[in-house]
Amino acid sequence: MKVCEIFKGIQGESTHAGVPCIFLRLTGCNLRCLYCDTAYAYEDGVELSEDEIVSRVAEYGTKTVEITGGEPLIQEGTRRLITRLLDSGYEVLVETNGSVDIDGVDRRAVIILDIKTPGSGMSAYNMVSNLSHLKTEDEVKFVILDRKDYEW
């Protein structure tokens, strides 16, 4: 898998805000949101095996992992990695841009589904069918740029 970065930090969003977290940012994104703050993840990264990723995650000694991007679900192997981390005792958060089918993601993972507002320039790519796959524990995120997005 192509990995942009792995680092430990404090979760700053969602109901997990304030929780120590390992961020596993995978390379690649199928969208180009106007406000993207991680454009460096479009291409930059190194190839790591699943074993290498799990080993690096384990070095941090924290049991919450957020898999993000870019869009993490466009890489082959992401779903398998999610299950492996869950089986290893990690709480796994998957932050997705909402344009890729989340059906088939291990149900133990927490999905953080971004709904693209018109201000993103990418709202046409929202996969509305994803809403039917959300569980009670999952979360929906809206980045609101202006009043138009709010009213939308």
Side-chain angles (χ1 to χ4, degrees):
M1 299 178 72
K2 195 166 184 182
V3 176
C4 180
E5 58 187 344
I6 303 173
F7 63 94
K8 183 177 180 180
I10 303 295
Q11 181 57 259
E13 300 178 347
S14 79
T15 59
H16 290 79
V19 173
C21 184
I22 303 158
F23 293 89
L24 170 56
R25 184 177 312 283
L26 298 180
T27 301
C29 191
N30 58 324
L31 301 182
R32 294 296 181 263
C33 297
L34 297 175
Y35 52 69
C36 183
D37 62 353
T38 53
Y40 61 92
Y42 291 166
E43 302 292 331
D44 293 345
V46 296
E47 289 290 333
L48 296 176
S49 69
E50 186 178 300
D51 288 340
E52 289 171 313
I53 293 169
V54 171
S55 177
R56 289 189 187 188
V57 165
E59 292 173 8
Y60 288 102
T62 297
K63 286 303 206 178
T64 301
V65 178
E66 178 170 311
I67 301 176
T68 187
E71 172 48 56
L73 296 177
I74 63 173
Q75 285 205 46
E76 189 175 325
T78 301
R79 286 170 169 77
R80 187 177 57 247
L81 176 63
I82 291 165
T83 296
R84 181 164 174 191
L85 290 168
L86 288 162
D87 288 347
S88 298
Y90 291 95
E91 176 182 30
V92 178
L93 315 175
V94 180
E95 188 167 354
T96 175
N97 67 24
S99 69
V100 177
D101 192 357
I102 63 170
D103 191 28
V105 172
D106 193 305
R107 303 280 295 167
R108 296 173 294 167
V110 174
I111 300 292
I112 302 171
L113 181 74
D114 192 2
I115 302 290
K116 298 302 181 188
T117 60
S120 71
M122 296 286 117
S123 61
Y125 296 94
N126 288 321
M127 184 174 278
V128 178
S129 61
N130 277 332
L131 296 173
S132 67
H133 299 297
L134 293 174
K135 309 174 304 297
T136 305
E137 307 78 29
D138 295 334
E139 302 184 20
V140 177
K141 172 183 167 181
F142 296 84
V143 176
I144 297 175
L145 296 182
D146 54 25
R147 184 72 180 185
K148 281 176 52 179
D149 278 355
Y150 175 77
E151 290 173 357
W152 177 83

